[in-house]
Amino acid sequence: MARSSRETEAIVLDCFEHGESDIIVTFLSRDGGRLSAIAKGAKRSKKRFVNKLELFSFLHISYQVTPNRSLTFLSEAELYTSFLNIRQSYDLYTTASIIREFLLIATREGEVGDLLFRLSLWAFHNIDQKSNPRTVLAFFLTKFYDAIGYRPDLSACSSCNIRLQTGLNYSFDTTTGGLVCSSCSDTGTRLIRLSMGTIKILLAVQDQPLSRLHRLKISGNSLQEALSILHDYGRQLFQREIVSWKPARLQQPPNPTSRKTF
Ligand SMILES: [Zn+2]
């Protein structure tokens, strides 16, 4: 069976042992999207893949595909960075793991999306550089939903369609991914209050390219509000818990009285 050789940049999202000597690795790759490949003999060969097939490693990989793509073989991997700080800090590792879980839930083998790859690399790089990991997570998720086709609509009330107005109060409906103004708030089924300041920051995150995200600031209540809606939106969208989202500091709602669930 003729195989064809390819190469691309890739981030390791998952790896597990297969049989006595092989490792199966799942990558998010720049050119091939989500990609699973078998590294033959990787458990025995100390030289070829040592320290490379680890979670979050950013690699240049060479691989071979069979004609029907039933099996992909990893032939070589060159390490760009292992994001050492992420590995060595519980807080950073925890946040990176949440991002990894969202990527594994939302991607399918072979789906190609350059934006998702660049966004993920941006997030892991910034977490590793010790930017506030919670800010990186909030910015990542805001753009992530956009990249997979579920961009939260923060520009108008999703019920009356009146555009965002200063002075009005808004909530976010995590079942629809849209804003609901105070006049329409009876129509939402799962509403979380969102301040105007938070809405404006999230709109800016949606509109700015990755290269300019570092100019945007979010903190305090706004960050908590943003993480709260982004987390719950994901749970509704994928109809499952995000199991990595464990740490209490990430899980707390912004303010118990500001959240109403019908
Ligand atoms: Zn409305």
Side-chain angles (χ1 to χ4, degrees):
M1 193 162 25
R3 298 179 189 172
S4 64
S5 297
R6 297 177 191 178
E7 52 186 87
T8 185
E9 293 178 341
I11 302 164
V12 177
L13 291 186
D14 207 2
C15 41
F16 59 90
E17 297 181 354
H18 179 73
E20 285 191 4
S21 59
D22 305 336
I23 294 177
I24 292 179
V25 194
T26 300
F27 298 101
L28 185 67
S29 70
R30 188 185 292 276
D31 300 322
R34 177 169 168 164
L35 178 74
S36 292
I38 184 163
K40 298 290 285 181
K43 276 171 66 183
R44 287 188 186 143
S45 162
K46 296 292 180 207
K47 278 186 195 161
R48 238 167 78 199
F49 297 117
V50 68
N51 295 335
K52 295 170 185 169
L53 305 183
E54 310 269 353
L55 289 189
F56 310 118
S57 283
F58 176 36
L59 309 169
H60 184 97
I61 58 169
S62 304
Y63 60 102
Q64 296 186 315
V65 292
T66 48
N68 58 4
R69 292 188 70 118
S70 58
L71 266 180
T72 300
F73 297 91
L74 186 67
S75 3
E76 281 181 58
E78 182 189 334
L79 185 69
Y80 288 133
T81 175
S82 55
F83 292 127
L84 210 56
N85 291 329
I86 291 179
R87 266 169 228 284
Q88 293 176 343
S89 153
Y90 177 78
D91 272 357
L92 304 187
Y93 191 86
T94 302
T95 310
S97 298
I98 295 171
I99 289 175
R100 166 182 174 266
E101 183 173 347
F102 273 101
L103 290 169
L104 286 171
I105 293 171
T107 55
R108 297 284 171 271
E109 197 80 7
E111 274 180 359
V112 179
D114 177 56
L115 175 59
L116 205 51
F117 177 79
R118 289 189 294 112
L119 174 62
S120 305
L121 197 54
W122 172 88
F124 292 135
H125 176 77
N126 277 277
I127 292 171
D128 190 66
Q129 293 302 302
K130 300 184 179 175
S131 302
N132 182 342
R134 299 165 78 240
T135 299
V136 177
L137 179 62
F139 287 6
F140 168 84
L141 286 175
T142 304
K143 285 193 133 9
F144 165 80
Y145 291 127
D146 203 350
I148 63 168
Y150 291 93
R151 178 186 173 114
D153 185 358
L154 302 170
S155 60
C157 170
S158 58
S159 181
C160 65
N161 292 321
I162 295 176
R163 293 191 69 79
L164 195 66
Q165 288 178 26
T166 308
L168 288 186
N169 292 321
Y170 291 92
S171 301
F172 185 78
D173 186 341
T174 57
T175 55
T176 64
L179 283 184
V180 179
C181 75
S182 47
S183 309
C184 301
S185 61
D186 288 345
T187 59
T189 54
R190 201 174 171 90
L191 298 178
I192 300 176
R193 271 293 295 277
L194 209 47
S195 67
M196 185 58 71
T198 308
I199 295 171
K200 288 189 170 171
I201 295 169
L202 295 180
L203 279 168
V205 173
Q206 287 181 331
D207 291 341
Q208 292 294 321
L210 290 175
S211 59
R212 292 195 182 187
L213 283 189
H214 65 281
R215 298 182 182 189
L216 301 175
K217 304 280 181 252
I218 184 170
S219 58
N221 275 346
S222 278
L223 180 54
Q224 200 63 60
E225 279 184 353
L227 286 172
S228 184
I229 66 150
L230 293 163
H231 178 205
D232 206 44
Y233 183 42
R235 293 167 66 223
Q236 299 301 318
L237 195 59
F238 301 118
Q239 288 292 295
R240 50 164 285 177
E241 289 298 327
I242 309 302
V243 294
S244 313
W245 203 297
K246 290 283 188 205
R249 281 189 303 156
L250 282 170
Q251 219 165 20
Q252 283 167 356
N255 177 340
T257 57
S258 72
R259 182 188 179 116
K260 44 179 187 165
T261 301
F262 297 92

